Amino acid sequence: MRTLTARRGLADPFPPAAALALLAVAAAALEASILCWASIGALAGYALSGSV
Amino acid sequence: MRQDAVLAVFTLGLLLGGTVSALALWSLSGLASPLPPPARTPVILAAAAAGVARELGVLSLPLPQNARQIPQEVLHVHLWRGVLQFGFELGTGVRTYVPSSAPYFLALALLLARAPLTAAVLTGAAFGAGRALSAALTYLARDPARAAAVAARIPHIRVIAVSASLAAFSLLFM
């Protein structure tokens, strides 16, 4: 049951986008520029979900 | 064939493709050096703002995407090489559809911001990793409804992606 719930959680595409967005903004606020760039890169790639 | 092995090779291709594109943009960024930073920053942020407006449907802006899909034949000749090539081509972001504003804004930022080489390499690899994350979640979730969930949520995800990029670069550059 717990496994099924975890898998359902993985099926929602929204949380990773929210987490990456928060990471990008937090990294910028902390002047961690390389982490900020990488987070924005990951976010741009993730924004193409479902597109091939 | 093991699906996790296919996913691993596909991910490797995505990471390589993203890195190569980012390196190409970083190499060309020297062309922007005559522009002083005070002139570059507003252009980057204006492009991000235009991307937000586009994703919200406020601004109609066609994207210069390569409106084609990678031919399935690449998977038929040699499977492992085909999976790697498929991932690589997707990772470059120039060989197939790119319907979100965020990658274009990112490319412009890499071209104009004169980021350090490390940042460019990691940004490109992270772009590939971001694309791979979606495939990995689809594999791990094993939920036939995920494709519909992605289709329903993707407009919001695109808004978040470019809005967060605008916010982050505003903080970083200003």
Side-chain angles (χ1 to χ4, degrees), chain A residues 7 10-14 21 28 34 37-38 40-43 45-49 51-52, chain B residues 69 96-97 99 122-123 126-127 130-131 134 141 143 146 153-154 157 160 164-165 168:
Chain A
R7 280 190 179 160
L10 292 172
D12 186 349
F14 192 77
I34 290 179
W37 274 99
I40 289 172
L43 203 48
Y46 191 73
L48 296 172
S49 294
S51 169
V52 288
Chain B
Q69 286 192 310
T96 186
Y97 292 94
L122 289 177
T123 301
F127 176 78
R131 293 206 83 165
S134 187
D143 185 344
R146 188 170 192 275
R153 294 274 211 166
I154 200 65
I157 290 171
I160 284 179
S165 304

PDB file of all heavy atoms in Angstrom, chain A residues 7 10-14 21 28 34 37-38 40-43 45-49 51-52, chain B residues 69 96-97 99 122-123 126-127 130-131 134 141 143 146 153-154 157 160 164-165 168:
ATOM      1  N   ARG A   7       4.429   5.449  -5.430  1.00  0.00           N
ATOM      2  CA  ARG A   7       4.425   5.485  -6.899  1.00  0.00           C
ATOM      3  C   ARG A   7       3.451   6.539  -7.418  1.00  0.00           C
ATOM      4  O   ARG A   7       3.718   7.205  -8.403  1.00  0.00           O
ATOM      5  CB  ARG A   7       4.048   4.108  -7.446  1.00  0.00           C
ATOM      6  CG  ARG A   7       5.224   3.166  -7.422  1.00  0.00           C
ATOM      7  CD  ARG A   7       4.933   1.906  -8.178  1.00  0.00           C
ATOM      8  NE  ARG A   7       6.101   1.046  -8.142  1.00  0.00           N
ATOM      9  CZ  ARG A   7       6.075  -0.242  -8.363  1.00  0.00           C
ATOM     10  NH1 ARG A   7       4.929  -0.841  -8.632  1.00  0.00           N
ATOM     11  NH2 ARG A   7       7.168  -0.948  -8.330  1.00  0.00           N
ATOM     12  N   LEU A  10       5.076   9.787  -7.293  1.00  0.00           N
ATOM     13  CA  LEU A  10       6.029   9.968  -8.393  1.00  0.00           C
ATOM     14  C   LEU A  10       5.321  10.314  -9.695  1.00  0.00           C
ATOM     15  O   LEU A  10       5.925  10.883 -10.598  1.00  0.00           O
ATOM     16  CB  LEU A  10       6.850   8.683  -8.594  1.00  0.00           C
ATOM     17  CG  LEU A  10       7.826   8.325  -7.475  1.00  0.00           C
ATOM     18  CD1 LEU A  10       8.411   6.944  -7.725  1.00  0.00           C
ATOM     19  CD2 LEU A  10       8.932   9.347  -7.376  1.00  0.00           C
ATOM     20  N   ALA A  11       4.057   9.933  -9.800  1.00  0.00           N
ATOM     21  CA  ALA A  11       3.322  10.173 -11.043  1.00  0.00           C
ATOM     22  C   ALA A  11       2.949  11.641 -11.210  1.00  0.00           C
ATOM     23  O   ALA A  11       2.674  12.076 -12.324  1.00  0.00           O
ATOM     24  CB  ALA A  11       2.059   9.311 -11.075  1.00  0.00           C
ATOM     25  N   ASP A  12       2.927  12.391 -10.119  1.00  0.00           N
ATOM     26  CA  ASP A  12       2.570  13.808 -10.221  1.00  0.00           C
ATOM     27  C   ASP A  12       3.781  14.594 -10.721  1.00  0.00           C
ATOM     28  O   ASP A  12       4.819  14.631 -10.050  1.00  0.00           O
ATOM     29  CB  ASP A  12       2.136  14.328  -8.840  1.00  0.00           C
ATOM     30  CG  ASP A  12       1.602  15.760  -8.919  1.00  0.00           C
ATOM     31  OD1 ASP A  12       1.767  16.401  -9.977  1.00  0.00           O
ATOM     32  OD2 ASP A  12       1.032  16.227  -7.923  1.00  0.00           O
ATOM     33  N   PRO A  13       3.687  15.226 -11.892  1.00  0.00           N
ATOM     34  CA  PRO A  13       4.867  15.914 -12.444  1.00  0.00           C
ATOM     35  C   PRO A  13       5.155  17.265 -11.794  1.00  0.00           C
ATOM     36  O   PRO A  13       6.185  17.874 -12.059  1.00  0.00           O
ATOM     37  CB  PRO A  13       4.489  16.104 -13.920  1.00  0.00           C
ATOM     38  CG  PRO A  13       3.004  16.171 -13.918  1.00  0.00           C
ATOM     39  CD  PRO A  13       2.529  15.298 -12.799  1.00  0.00           C
ATOM     40  N   PHE A  14       4.245  17.755 -10.947  1.00  0.00           N
ATOM     41  CA  PHE A  14       4.387  19.115 -10.422  1.00  0.00           C
ATOM     42  C   PHE A  14       5.461  19.273  -9.341  1.00  0.00           C
ATOM     43  O   PHE A  14       6.245  20.241  -9.392  1.00  0.00           O
ATOM     44  CB  PHE A  14       3.027  19.599  -9.908  1.00  0.00           C
ATOM     45  CG  PHE A  14       2.996  21.067  -9.624  1.00  0.00           C
ATOM     46  CD1 PHE A  14       2.901  21.988 -10.659  1.00  0.00           C
ATOM     47  CD2 PHE A  14       3.077  21.537  -8.331  1.00  0.00           C
ATOM     48  CE1 PHE A  14       2.887  23.342 -10.401  1.00  0.00           C
ATOM     49  CE2 PHE A  14       3.065  22.891  -8.062  1.00  0.00           C
ATOM     50  CZ  PHE A  14       2.965  23.799  -9.096  1.00  0.00           C
ATOM     51  N   ALA A  21      12.355  25.008  -8.891  1.00  0.00           N
ATOM     52  CA  ALA A  21      12.139  26.459  -8.913  1.00  0.00           C
ATOM     53  C   ALA A  21      12.597  27.070  -7.593  1.00  0.00           C
ATOM     54  O   ALA A  21      13.300  28.098  -7.576  1.00  0.00           O
ATOM     55  CB  ALA A  21      10.662  26.759  -9.156  1.00  0.00           C
ATOM     56  N   ALA A  28      20.074  31.615  -5.972  1.00  0.00           N
ATOM     57  CA  ALA A  28      20.357  32.993  -6.395  1.00  0.00           C
ATOM     58  C   ALA A  28      20.418  33.922  -5.183  1.00  0.00           C
ATOM     59  O   ALA A  28      21.305  34.776  -5.091  1.00  0.00           O
ATOM     60  CB  ALA A  28      19.283  33.460  -7.374  1.00  0.00           C
ATOM     61  N   ILE A  34      26.653  28.984  -9.423  1.00  0.00           N
ATOM     62  CA  ILE A  34      26.724  27.755 -10.220  1.00  0.00           C
ATOM     63  C   ILE A  34      25.513  26.871  -9.938  1.00  0.00           C
ATOM     64  O   ILE A  34      24.899  26.314 -10.858  1.00  0.00           O
ATOM     65  CB  ILE A  34      28.057  27.020  -9.966  1.00  0.00           C
ATOM     66  CG1 ILE A  34      29.187  27.854 -10.587  1.00  0.00           C
ATOM     67  CG2 ILE A  34      28.047  25.622 -10.576  1.00  0.00           C
ATOM     68  CD1 ILE A  34      30.567  27.291 -10.421  1.00  0.00           C
ATOM     69  N   TRP A  37      22.570  28.434 -11.775  1.00  0.00           N
ATOM     70  CA  TRP A  37      22.596  28.112 -13.207  1.00  0.00           C
ATOM     71  C   TRP A  37      22.150  26.664 -13.444  1.00  0.00           C
ATOM     72  O   TRP A  37      21.342  26.392 -14.332  1.00  0.00           O
ATOM     73  CB  TRP A  37      24.012  28.300 -13.766  1.00  0.00           C
ATOM     74  CG  TRP A  37      24.359  29.684 -14.209  1.00  0.00           C
ATOM     75  CD1 TRP A  37      25.063  30.617 -13.508  1.00  0.00           C
ATOM     76  CD2 TRP A  37      24.028  30.308 -15.463  1.00  0.00           C
ATOM     77  NE1 TRP A  37      25.179  31.765 -14.245  1.00  0.00           N
ATOM     78  CE2 TRP A  37      24.568  31.615 -15.441  1.00  0.00           C
ATOM     79  CE3 TRP A  37      23.320  29.883 -16.586  1.00  0.00           C
ATOM     80  CZ2 TRP A  37      24.427  32.498 -16.507  1.00  0.00           C
ATOM     81  CZ3 TRP A  37      23.180  30.774 -17.655  1.00  0.00           C
ATOM     82  CH2 TRP A  37      23.738  32.050 -17.611  1.00  0.00           C
ATOM     83  N   ALA A  38      22.688  25.754 -12.650  1.00  0.00           N
ATOM     84  CA  ALA A  38      22.347  24.334 -12.851  1.00  0.00           C
ATOM     85  C   ALA A  38      20.866  24.076 -12.580  1.00  0.00           C
ATOM     86  O   ALA A  38      20.221  23.309 -13.305  1.00  0.00           O
ATOM     87  CB  ALA A  38      23.227  23.464 -11.947  1.00  0.00           C
ATOM     88  N   ILE A  40      18.410  26.181 -12.946  1.00  0.00           N
ATOM     89  CA  ILE A  40      17.642  26.736 -14.061  1.00  0.00           C
ATOM     90  C   ILE A  40      17.760  25.822 -15.289  1.00  0.00           C
ATOM     91  O   ILE A  40      16.794  25.612 -16.025  1.00  0.00           O
ATOM     92  CB  ILE A  40      18.095  28.188 -14.360  1.00  0.00           C
ATOM     93  CG1 ILE A  40      17.624  29.093 -13.218  1.00  0.00           C
ATOM     94  CG2 ILE A  40      17.550  28.677 -15.689  1.00  0.00           C
ATOM     95  CD1 ILE A  40      18.159  30.503 -13.279  1.00  0.00           C
ATOM     96  N   GLY A  41      18.950  25.248 -15.473  1.00  0.00           N
ATOM     97  CA  GLY A  41      19.130  24.286 -16.563  1.00  0.00           C
ATOM     98  C   GLY A  41      18.225  23.078 -16.383  1.00  0.00           C
ATOM     99  O   GLY A  41      17.536  22.652 -17.322  1.00  0.00           O
ATOM    100  N   ALA A  42      18.199  22.533 -15.171  1.00  0.00           N
ATOM    101  CA  ALA A  42      17.354  21.366 -14.904  1.00  0.00           C
ATOM    102  C   ALA A  42      15.882  21.702 -15.088  1.00  0.00           C
ATOM    103  O   ALA A  42      15.098  20.909 -15.645  1.00  0.00           O
ATOM    104  CB  ALA A  42      17.605  20.856 -13.490  1.00  0.00           C
ATOM    105  N   LEU A  43      15.506  22.883 -14.661  1.00  0.00           N
ATOM    106  CA  LEU A  43      14.116  23.325 -14.791  1.00  0.00           C
ATOM    107  C   LEU A  43      13.726  23.456 -16.269  1.00  0.00           C
ATOM    108  O   LEU A  43      12.623  23.053 -16.679  1.00  0.00           O
ATOM    109  CB  LEU A  43      13.980  24.671 -14.075  1.00  0.00           C
ATOM    110  CG  LEU A  43      12.637  25.157 -13.574  1.00  0.00           C
ATOM    111  CD1 LEU A  43      11.884  24.085 -12.803  1.00  0.00           C
ATOM    112  CD2 LEU A  43      12.848  26.389 -12.696  1.00  0.00           C
ATOM    113  N   GLY A  45      15.041  21.835 -18.747  1.00  0.00           N
ATOM    114  CA  GLY A  45      14.907  20.480 -19.298  1.00  0.00           C
ATOM    115  C   GLY A  45      13.623  19.814 -18.837  1.00  0.00           C
ATOM    116  O   GLY A  45      12.915  19.188 -19.629  1.00  0.00           O
ATOM    117  N   TYR A  46      13.294  20.006 -17.570  1.00  0.00           N
ATOM    118  CA  TYR A  46      12.083  19.371 -17.025  1.00  0.00           C
ATOM    119  C   TYR A  46      10.816  19.972 -17.638  1.00  0.00           C
ATOM    120  O   TYR A  46       9.804  19.282 -17.763  1.00  0.00           O
ATOM    121  CB  TYR A  46      12.065  19.524 -15.501  1.00  0.00           C
ATOM    122  CG  TYR A  46      11.001  18.691 -14.848  1.00  0.00           C
ATOM    123  CD1 TYR A  46      11.142  17.299 -14.748  1.00  0.00           C
ATOM    124  CD2 TYR A  46       9.835  19.257 -14.362  1.00  0.00           C
ATOM    125  CE1 TYR A  46      10.152  16.521 -14.178  1.00  0.00           C
ATOM    126  CE2 TYR A  46       8.842  18.482 -13.789  1.00  0.00           C
ATOM    127  CZ  TYR A  46       9.003  17.121 -13.700  1.00  0.00           C
ATOM    128  OH  TYR A  46       8.014  16.346 -13.136  1.00  0.00           O
ATOM    129  N   ALA A  47      10.906  21.250 -18.031  1.00  0.00           N
ATOM    130  CA  ALA A  47       9.744  21.908 -18.654  1.00  0.00           C
ATOM    131  C   ALA A  47       9.398  21.293 -20.007  1.00  0.00           C
ATOM    132  O   ALA A  47       8.353  21.608 -20.579  1.00  0.00           O
ATOM    133  CB  ALA A  47      10.018  23.402 -18.809  1.00  0.00           C
ATOM    134  N   LEU A  48      10.269  20.435 -20.512  1.00  0.00           N
ATOM    135  CA  LEU A  48       9.990  19.751 -21.787  1.00  0.00           C
ATOM    136  C   LEU A  48       9.413  18.358 -21.547  1.00  0.00           C
ATOM    137  O   LEU A  48       9.375  17.538 -22.472  1.00  0.00           O
ATOM    138  CB  LEU A  48      11.272  19.677 -22.629  1.00  0.00           C
ATOM    139  CG  LEU A  48      11.825  21.044 -23.059  1.00  0.00           C
ATOM    140  CD1 LEU A  48      13.183  20.889 -23.718  1.00  0.00           C
ATOM    141  CD2 LEU A  48      10.864  21.734 -24.009  1.00  0.00           C
ATOM    142  N   SER A  49       8.970  18.092 -20.330  1.00  0.00           N
ATOM    143  CA  SER A  49       8.365  16.786 -20.028  1.00  0.00           C
ATOM    144  C   SER A  49       7.228  16.489 -21.005  1.00  0.00           C
ATOM    145  O   SER A  49       6.417  17.359 -21.312  1.00  0.00           O
ATOM    146  CB  SER A  49       7.779  16.788 -18.608  1.00  0.00           C
ATOM    147  OG  SER A  49       8.796  16.909 -17.663  1.00  0.00           O
ATOM    148  N   SER A  51       7.502  15.929 -24.087  1.00  0.00           N
ATOM    149  CA  SER A  51       7.814  16.338 -25.452  1.00  0.00           C
ATOM    150  C   SER A  51       8.992  15.519 -25.970  1.00  0.00           C
ATOM    151  O   SER A  51      10.005  15.410 -25.295  1.00  0.00           O
ATOM    152  CB  SER A  51       8.173  17.832 -25.446  1.00  0.00           C
ATOM    153  OG  SER A  51       8.708  18.200 -26.675  1.00  0.00           O
ATOM    154  N   VAL A  52       8.846  14.918 -27.148  1.00  0.00           N
ATOM    155  CA  VAL A  52       9.967  14.167 -27.738  1.00  0.00           C
ATOM    156  C   VAL A  52      10.216  14.617 -29.169  1.00  0.00           C
ATOM    157  O   VAL A  52       9.354  15.110 -29.821  1.00  0.00           O
ATOM    158  CB  VAL A  52       9.749  12.638 -27.747  1.00  0.00           C
ATOM    159  CG1 VAL A  52       9.865  12.076 -26.356  1.00  0.00           C
ATOM    160  CG2 VAL A  52       8.441  12.280 -28.377  1.00  0.00           C
TER     161      VAL A  52
ATOM    162  N   GLN B  69      10.242  15.306 -35.236  1.00  0.00           N
ATOM    163  CA  GLN B  69      10.610  14.326 -34.222  1.00  0.00           C
ATOM    164  C   GLN B  69      11.840  13.569 -34.701  1.00  0.00           C
ATOM    165  O   GLN B  69      12.070  13.427 -35.899  1.00  0.00           O
ATOM    166  CB  GLN B  69       9.458  13.357 -33.989  1.00  0.00           C
ATOM    167  CG  GLN B  69       8.323  14.001 -33.193  1.00  0.00           C
ATOM    168  CD  GLN B  69       7.324  12.972 -32.715  1.00  0.00           C
ATOM    169  OE1 GLN B  69       6.859  12.168 -33.500  1.00  0.00           O
ATOM    170  NE2 GLN B  69       7.011  13.014 -31.435  1.00  0.00           N
ATOM    171  N   THR B  96      14.773  18.546 -32.249  1.00  0.00           N
ATOM    172  CA  THR B  96      13.371  18.145 -32.169  1.00  0.00           C
ATOM    173  C   THR B  96      12.548  19.273 -31.544  1.00  0.00           C
ATOM    174  O   THR B  96      13.063  20.371 -31.330  1.00  0.00           O
ATOM    175  CB  THR B  96      13.255  16.834 -31.357  1.00  0.00           C
ATOM    176  OG1 THR B  96      11.912  16.384 -31.392  1.00  0.00           O
ATOM    177  CG2 THR B  96      13.689  17.012 -29.914  1.00  0.00           C
ATOM    178  N   TYR B  97      11.277  19.018 -31.304  1.00  0.00           N
ATOM    179  CA  TYR B  97      10.396  20.047 -30.736  1.00  0.00           C
ATOM    180  C   TYR B  97      10.908  20.551 -29.380  1.00  0.00           C
ATOM    181  O   TYR B  97      11.314  19.752 -28.535  1.00  0.00           O
ATOM    182  CB  TYR B  97       8.998  19.465 -30.511  1.00  0.00           C
ATOM    183  CG  TYR B  97       8.254  19.144 -31.770  1.00  0.00           C
ATOM    184  CD1 TYR B  97       8.278  17.863 -32.320  1.00  0.00           C
ATOM    185  CD2 TYR B  97       7.498  20.127 -32.412  1.00  0.00           C
ATOM    186  CE1 TYR B  97       7.576  17.570 -33.483  1.00  0.00           C
ATOM    187  CE2 TYR B  97       6.801  19.840 -33.572  1.00  0.00           C
ATOM    188  CZ  TYR B  97       6.851  18.554 -34.099  1.00  0.00           C
ATOM    189  OH  TYR B  97       6.165  18.268 -35.239  1.00  0.00           O
ATOM    190  N   PRO B  99       8.897  23.023 -27.116  1.00  0.00           N
ATOM    191  CA  PRO B  99       7.715  23.897 -27.051  1.00  0.00           C
ATOM    192  C   PRO B  99       7.631  24.811 -25.825  1.00  0.00           C
ATOM    193  O   PRO B  99       6.615  25.472 -25.631  1.00  0.00           O
ATOM    194  CB  PRO B  99       6.563  22.879 -27.048  1.00  0.00           C
ATOM    195  CG  PRO B  99       7.138  21.659 -26.427  1.00  0.00           C
ATOM    196  CD  PRO B  99       8.602  21.645 -26.742  1.00  0.00           C
ATOM    197  N   LEU B 122      27.815  22.567 -16.212  1.00  0.00           N
ATOM    198  CA  LEU B 122      26.831  21.995 -15.286  1.00  0.00           C
ATOM    199  C   LEU B 122      25.405  22.355 -15.687  1.00  0.00           C
ATOM    200  O   LEU B 122      24.478  21.569 -15.491  1.00  0.00           O
ATOM    201  CB  LEU B 122      27.119  22.460 -13.853  1.00  0.00           C
ATOM    202  CG  LEU B 122      28.368  21.837 -13.236  1.00  0.00           C
ATOM    203  CD1 LEU B 122      28.625  22.397 -11.844  1.00  0.00           C
ATOM    204  CD2 LEU B 122      28.243  20.317 -13.149  1.00  0.00           C
ATOM    205  N   THR B 123      25.228  23.531 -16.269  1.00  0.00           N
ATOM    206  CA  THR B 123      23.889  23.929 -16.724  1.00  0.00           C
ATOM    207  C   THR B 123      23.433  23.027 -17.864  1.00  0.00           C
ATOM    208  O   THR B 123      22.286  22.568 -17.883  1.00  0.00           O
ATOM    209  CB  THR B 123      23.904  25.402 -17.188  1.00  0.00           C
ATOM    210  OG1 THR B 123      24.332  26.203 -16.097  1.00  0.00           O
ATOM    211  CG2 THR B 123      22.529  25.856 -17.627  1.00  0.00           C
ATOM    212  N   ALA B 126      22.713  19.648 -16.485  1.00  0.00           N
ATOM    213  CA  ALA B 126      21.470  19.708 -15.703  1.00  0.00           C
ATOM    214  C   ALA B 126      20.251  19.777 -16.619  1.00  0.00           C
ATOM    215  O   ALA B 126      19.191  19.223 -16.292  1.00  0.00           O
ATOM    216  CB  ALA B 126      21.499  20.910 -14.766  1.00  0.00           C
ATOM    217  N   PHE B 127      20.395  20.445 -17.757  1.00  0.00           N
ATOM    218  CA  PHE B 127      19.298  20.462 -18.731  1.00  0.00           C
ATOM    219  C   PHE B 127      18.969  19.028 -19.162  1.00  0.00           C
ATOM    220  O   PHE B 127      17.805  18.618 -19.176  1.00  0.00           O
ATOM    221  CB  PHE B 127      19.685  21.326 -19.940  1.00  0.00           C
ATOM    222  CG  PHE B 127      18.667  21.325 -21.048  1.00  0.00           C
ATOM    223  CD1 PHE B 127      17.511  22.082 -20.956  1.00  0.00           C
ATOM    224  CD2 PHE B 127      18.855  20.539 -22.183  1.00  0.00           C
ATOM    225  CE1 PHE B 127      16.571  22.072 -21.971  1.00  0.00           C
ATOM    226  CE2 PHE B 127      17.914  20.519 -23.215  1.00  0.00           C
ATOM    227  CZ  PHE B 127      16.768  21.295 -23.105  1.00  0.00           C
ATOM    228  N   GLY B 130      17.353  17.236 -16.320  1.00  0.00           N
ATOM    229  CA  GLY B 130      15.945  17.633 -16.165  1.00  0.00           C
ATOM    230  C   GLY B 130      15.049  16.868 -17.117  1.00  0.00           C
ATOM    231  O   GLY B 130      13.948  16.443 -16.762  1.00  0.00           O
ATOM    232  N   ARG B 131      15.541  16.696 -18.346  1.00  0.00           N
ATOM    233  CA  ARG B 131      14.765  15.903 -19.314  1.00  0.00           C
ATOM    234  C   ARG B 131      14.727  14.438 -18.876  1.00  0.00           C
ATOM    235  O   ARG B 131      13.706  13.762 -19.007  1.00  0.00           O
ATOM    236  CB  ARG B 131      15.371  16.004 -20.722  1.00  0.00           C
ATOM    237  CG  ARG B 131      15.273  17.378 -21.338  1.00  0.00           C
ATOM    238  CD  ARG B 131      15.276  17.355 -22.849  1.00  0.00           C
ATOM    239  NE  ARG B 131      13.937  17.092 -23.357  1.00  0.00           N
ATOM    240  CZ  ARG B 131      13.536  17.278 -24.609  1.00  0.00           C
ATOM    241  NH1 ARG B 131      14.383  17.733 -25.497  1.00  0.00           N
ATOM    242  NH2 ARG B 131      12.312  17.016 -24.974  1.00  0.00           N
ATOM    243  N   SER B 134      12.100  13.397 -16.001  1.00  0.00           N
ATOM    244  CA  SER B 134      10.719  13.067 -16.383  1.00  0.00           C
ATOM    245  C   SER B 134      10.607  11.604 -16.825  1.00  0.00           C
ATOM    246  O   SER B 134       9.674  10.896 -16.427  1.00  0.00           O
ATOM    247  CB  SER B 134      10.276  14.000 -17.515  1.00  0.00           C
ATOM    248  OG  SER B 134       8.927  13.801 -17.783  1.00  0.00           O
ATOM    249  N   ALA B 141       7.211   5.420 -11.586  1.00  0.00           N
ATOM    250  CA  ALA B 141       5.808   5.488 -11.149  1.00  0.00           C
ATOM    251  C   ALA B 141       4.996   4.310 -11.693  1.00  0.00           C
ATOM    252  O   ALA B 141       4.073   3.833 -11.033  1.00  0.00           O
ATOM    253  CB  ALA B 141       5.197   6.805 -11.612  1.00  0.00           C
ATOM    254  N   ASP B 143       2.732   4.229 -13.769  1.00  0.00           N
ATOM    255  CA  ASP B 143       1.331   4.621 -13.706  1.00  0.00           C
ATOM    256  C   ASP B 143       0.873   5.017 -15.110  1.00  0.00           C
ATOM    257  O   ASP B 143       1.353   6.015 -15.655  1.00  0.00           O
ATOM    258  CB  ASP B 143       1.196   5.810 -12.733  1.00  0.00           C
ATOM    259  CG  ASP B 143      -0.249   6.207 -12.516  1.00  0.00           C
ATOM    260  OD1 ASP B 143      -1.116   5.797 -13.307  1.00  0.00           O
ATOM    261  OD2 ASP B 143      -0.503   6.943 -11.544  1.00  0.00           O
ATOM    262  N   ARG B 146       0.095   8.651 -15.890  1.00  0.00           N
ATOM    263  CA  ARG B 146       1.083   9.741 -15.751  1.00  0.00           C
ATOM    264  C   ARG B 146       1.155  10.626 -16.990  1.00  0.00           C
ATOM    265  O   ARG B 146       1.307  11.833 -16.881  1.00  0.00           O
ATOM    266  CB  ARG B 146       2.469   9.184 -15.412  1.00  0.00           C
ATOM    267  CG  ARG B 146       3.431  10.316 -15.090  1.00  0.00           C
ATOM    268  CD  ARG B 146       4.747   9.887 -14.512  1.00  0.00           C
ATOM    269  NE  ARG B 146       5.447  11.044 -13.992  1.00  0.00           N
ATOM    270  CZ  ARG B 146       6.211  11.840 -14.724  1.00  0.00           C
ATOM    271  NH1 ARG B 146       6.389  11.603 -16.003  1.00  0.00           N
ATOM    272  NH2 ARG B 146       6.796  12.891 -14.188  1.00  0.00           N
ATOM    273  N   ARG B 153      -0.628  19.132 -16.555  1.00  0.00           N
ATOM    274  CA  ARG B 153       0.162  20.021 -15.692  1.00  0.00           C
ATOM    275  C   ARG B 153       1.233  20.820 -16.435  1.00  0.00           C
ATOM    276  O   ARG B 153       1.761  21.795 -15.890  1.00  0.00           O
ATOM    277  CB  ARG B 153       0.863  19.194 -14.610  1.00  0.00           C
ATOM    278  CG  ARG B 153      -0.071  18.535 -13.632  1.00  0.00           C
ATOM    279  CD  ARG B 153      -0.419  19.486 -12.515  1.00  0.00           C
ATOM    280  NE  ARG B 153      -0.651  18.781 -11.283  1.00  0.00           N
ATOM    281  CZ  ARG B 153      -0.713  19.357 -10.095  1.00  0.00           C
ATOM    282  NH1 ARG B 153      -0.549  20.641 -10.006  1.00  0.00           N
ATOM    283  NH2 ARG B 153      -0.944  18.667  -9.016  1.00  0.00           N
ATOM    284  N   ILE B 154       1.583  20.378 -17.636  1.00  0.00           N
ATOM    285  CA  ILE B 154       2.750  20.975 -18.283  1.00  0.00           C
ATOM    286  C   ILE B 154       2.609  22.486 -18.540  1.00  0.00           C
ATOM    287  O   ILE B 154       3.596  23.215 -18.416  1.00  0.00           O
ATOM    288  CB  ILE B 154       3.152  20.197 -19.571  1.00  0.00           C
ATOM    289  CG1 ILE B 154       4.598  20.498 -19.955  1.00  0.00           C
ATOM    290  CG2 ILE B 154       2.232  20.460 -20.747  1.00  0.00           C
ATOM    291  CD1 ILE B 154       5.632  20.043 -18.996  1.00  0.00           C
ATOM    292  N   ILE B 157       3.759  23.989 -15.386  1.00  0.00           N
ATOM    293  CA  ILE B 157       5.195  23.742 -15.173  1.00  0.00           C
ATOM    294  C   ILE B 157       6.029  24.699 -16.032  1.00  0.00           C
ATOM    295  O   ILE B 157       7.046  25.230 -15.582  1.00  0.00           O
ATOM    296  CB  ILE B 157       5.529  22.267 -15.467  1.00  0.00           C
ATOM    297  CG1 ILE B 157       4.913  21.378 -14.377  1.00  0.00           C
ATOM    298  CG2 ILE B 157       7.031  22.035 -15.564  1.00  0.00           C
ATOM    299  CD1 ILE B 157       4.991  19.898 -14.657  1.00  0.00           C
ATOM    300  N   ILE B 160       6.019  28.082 -14.378  1.00  0.00           N
ATOM    301  CA  ILE B 160       6.906  28.060 -13.203  1.00  0.00           C
ATOM    302  C   ILE B 160       8.367  28.101 -13.632  1.00  0.00           C
ATOM    303  O   ILE B 160       9.177  28.821 -13.045  1.00  0.00           O
ATOM    304  CB  ILE B 160       6.620  26.805 -12.356  1.00  0.00           C
ATOM    305  CG1 ILE B 160       5.334  27.010 -11.575  1.00  0.00           C
ATOM    306  CG2 ILE B 160       7.760  26.495 -11.396  1.00  0.00           C
ATOM    307  CD1 ILE B 160       4.947  25.836 -10.736  1.00  0.00           C
ATOM    308  N   ALA B 164      10.497  31.235 -12.468  1.00  0.00           N
ATOM    309  CA  ALA B 164      11.570  31.015 -11.490  1.00  0.00           C
ATOM    310  C   ALA B 164      12.911  31.431 -12.079  1.00  0.00           C
ATOM    311  O   ALA B 164      13.767  31.988 -11.371  1.00  0.00           O
ATOM    312  CB  ALA B 164      11.602  29.547 -11.077  1.00  0.00           C
ATOM    313  N   SER B 165      13.106  31.195 -13.378  1.00  0.00           N
ATOM    314  CA  SER B 165      14.349  31.609 -14.032  1.00  0.00           C
ATOM    315  C   SER B 165      14.474  33.128 -13.997  1.00  0.00           C
ATOM    316  O   SER B 165      15.553  33.673 -13.717  1.00  0.00           O
ATOM    317  CB  SER B 165      14.380  31.127 -15.486  1.00  0.00           C
ATOM    318  OG  SER B 165      14.215  29.735 -15.547  1.00  0.00           O
ATOM    319  N   ALA B 168      15.213  34.138 -10.368  1.00  0.00           N
ATOM    320  CA  ALA B 168      16.558  33.760  -9.946  1.00  0.00           C
ATOM    321  C   ALA B 168      17.614  34.641 -10.614  1.00  0.00           C
ATOM    322  O   ALA B 168      18.529  35.146  -9.936  1.00  0.00           O
ATOM    323  CB  ALA B 168      16.805  32.285 -10.277  1.00  0.00           C
TER     324      ALA B 168
END
